Structure formats: C-alpha cells, structure tokens
Amino acid sequence: MSAPGQPSIPQHVAIIMDGNGRWARQRGLPRLEGHRRGVESVRTALNAARELGIRYITLYAFSVENWKRPQEEVSGLMGLLELYLKRELSTFVRDEVRFHAIGRTADLPAGVCRLLRETEEATRHFTHWHFTLALNYGARTEVVDAARAYALAVRAGRANPAETGWDEFSRYLYTADLPDPDLLIRTSGELRISNFLLLQLAYAEMVFSPTLWPDFTKADLQAAVDEYGRRERRYGLTSEQVRPGPP
Ligand code: IPE
Ligand code: IPE
Ligand code: MG
C-alpha cells in the first residue's frame, strides 16, 4: 500500500546486525562463535538482497564504541573480517558488486585496511549492486570528520559557506557516493540506533526484528521489505498530498 509512484522495494537497506553474543550465550558457546555464524548471515543477507532487487545494502559491522569490548573479542572480530574479505573478493567480482567501506577505516589493523582498499579498488567499476560495510563507524565521528574536511575545503577556496546547503555539505560524509537508506532493520529486538547513520536515516522507515543476527534469513529480509511496502512515506506532507484521491 505504498503511495503511488513510491517503489515497494527499497533501493537502499541498512542493517544493524545485532545479537551474535546472545545467540552464542544461549548455546553455551563463546561469543566469537556467534560472530562466526554472523558472517554466514552476511552472505545470506547479501544474496537475499540481490534476489529481491535491493541495489544498496549497508551493514553495521563494528562501531567506534566496540573497541571497548574485551581485547580477545576485538581481535577475533578483526580476524574474521580479514578472512571474510579475502574469501569474498572473487564473489563480489563474479556477482558484479561494488564494495564500499565507511568509517575511520585507516585506524583498523593494517592488514584489514589494506584488504578494504584492495576490495574497493577491484570492484570500483561496478555500478548496479552496492555493498557497504560500516567499520570503526560512528555517526558523531562522521560529522566531525565531515566538518573537518569541509573547513579545509573552505580554507582552500573550494567551498563557500554562504552557498552551502545540505546537498553540498553531505558530499563530505563517508556516504557521499550512496543514496540515503530507505529502510533500516535492527535485529535482536533492541530498539535503538547506536550511533549509526544518524543523518542519513532522517527519513528512513525502521523495522525492528526480534531475530538474532546469526538466525537471520531471506524470510526475515522479505518480512521487513513487506512491512516497508505497507508504510506511507510522507516527508512532512499530508497523507492527502502523498496519495491524491479522485478530484
Ligand atoms: C553484533 O552482535 C555484532 C557486533 C556488534 C560486532 P553483538 O556482539 O552486539 O551481540 P549481542 O548484542 O551481545 O547479543
Ligand atoms: C551496534 O551494536 C553496533 C554494531 C552492530 C556493529 P552494539 O551491540 O554495539 O550496540 P549497543 O551497545 O547494544 O547499543
Ligand atoms: Mg549488541
């Protein structure tokens, strides 16, 4: 029942992948086992997104706050990430998926950082499918980084504050190449944003799923997309304006 002219399939879906630790704890397993299974769900979600025709998928994988977790968990996560990137590059190339990383990626371990650059470089020429991983990402950090880059541009005479609106300023965000998410999904039943894409989610529809991330399937993605299709996006207008009836 989306409004006329509003596609019922979101162009860009962002996901806060949450619940790996609880999934493991419920089974008496170490937290890292939950993360390992979480990587399988990443593969499932990417394939499902392509099958549903979702062109942009963005996954929150590691926040700036997550460094405060136990050292063993942090290094385990970095190891999994490295392994994942090494294994997946050929799949991205085969499926013609452009890979992006957003966040303060330069502060990640050198091996991970190098693989991110290589994966971005090897897939740079693909245009249809886009997969973005948010790594060492925080929305507040992103605003600080954007403000810093913008200030430098002003100082260099490349930007003019008197002529800067949102369209101009948003080019300094990590997501300059990406459209805003249409749909945000958070798994594991938590009802919060946890410093994810605060500005880009300004008009996103939100779906909170009780499923723990390692249990996430195509059916969960389909259910969220169906829910999205039932929403009416008004962007500040009235319902009558968005769905004009007969005169
Ligand atoms: C999400 O699962 C993955 C990361 C944040 C890296 P969690 O590890 O947060 O799982 P819970 O919330 O402890 O269950
Ligand atoms: C958000 O999950 C970060 C990622 C999914 C990478 P957290 O599990 O870190 O968030 P909080 O601490 O529950 O808000
Ligand atoms: Mg969590």
Side-chain angles (χ1 to χ4, degrees):
M1 92 127 178
S2 36
Q6 179 182 302
S8 55
I9 295 290
Q11 182 188 30
H12 184 175
V13 175
I15 306 183
I16 302 176
M17 311 184 281
D18 200 11
N20 294 353
R22 276 162 283 171
W23 183 94
R25 196 178 56 215
Q26 284 172 6
R27 288 159 179 78
L29 297 168
R31 291 181 60 87
L32 201 59
E33 201 46 49
H35 296 313
R36 218 168 262 133
R37 288 296 295 260
V39 175
E40 293 309 317
S41 298
V42 169
R43 293 193 175 98
T44 304
L46 274 186
N47 287 332
R50 280 191 311 122
E51 284 161 23
L52 295 175
I54 297 162
R55 286 188 55 205
Y56 291 82
I57 184 136
T58 297
L59 305 181
Y60 199 8
F62 194 83
S63 74
V64 292
E65 286 82 16
N66 289 148
W67 293 110
K68 293 180 221 143
R69 291 190 178 197
Q71 165 61 26
E72 189 186 272
E73 179 167 349
V74 171
S75 51
L77 277 166
M78 293 302 146
L80 282 178
L81 180 59
E82 200 166 332
L83 206 63
Y84 172 77
L85 289 168
K86 274 184 193 151
R87 285 201 185 142
E88 242 39 32
L89 176 57
S90 58
T91 312
F92 297 150
V93 171
R94 184 197 67 198
D95 296 341
E96 305 194 348
V97 175
R98 181 167 175 186
F99 175 81
H100 312 251
I102 57 170
R104 280 196 182 160
T105 51
D107 295 341
L108 291 162
V112 170
C113 198
R114 195 176 52 247
L115 278 165
L116 290 174
R117 297 289 86 82
E118 282 169 13
T119 312
E120 284 183 322
E121 203 42 56
T123 61
R124 189 173 291 284
H125 52 294
F126 299 129
T127 53
H128 190 73
W129 304 109
H130 296 260
F131 170 42
T132 304
L133 270 184
L135 292 163
N136 194 18
Y137 177 88
R140 290 177 170 177
T141 312
E142 179 177 31
V143 172
V144 170
D145 287 350
R148 205 174 274 160
Y150 176 71
L152 290 173
V154 170
R155 201 160 69 186
R158 285 183 280 109
N160 177 358
E163 287 169 10
T164 301
W166 176 249
D167 286 349
E168 290 74 30
F169 185 75
S170 63
R171 286 189 208 124
Y172 296 87
L173 296 173
Y174 304 144
T175 51
D177 293 339
L178 307 170
D180 284 345
D182 301 293
L183 169 63
L184 172 78
I185 302 170
R186 181 169 188 150
T187 59
S188 89
E190 303 297 351
L191 305 180
R192 56 177 173 267
I193 302 292
S194 302
N195 203 9
F196 189 44
L197 298 175
L198 295 178
L199 295 169
Q200 296 87 341
L201 293 172
Y203 268 106
E205 296 298 326
M206 301 194 182
V207 171
F208 295 94
S209 159
T211 303
L212 301 175
W213 180 249
D215 290 328
F216 193 84
T217 62
K218 185 180 177 185
D220 293 290
L221 184 62
Q222 179 73 65
V225 167
D226 290 347
E227 172 62 30
Y228 171 85
R230 290 191 287 272
R231 304 273 176 91
E232 183 179 75
R233 304 183 78 188
R234 291 193 287 277
Y235 300 98
L237 305 185
T238 67
S239 195
E240 290 71 22
Q241 288 175 297
V242 176
R243 101 190 14 258

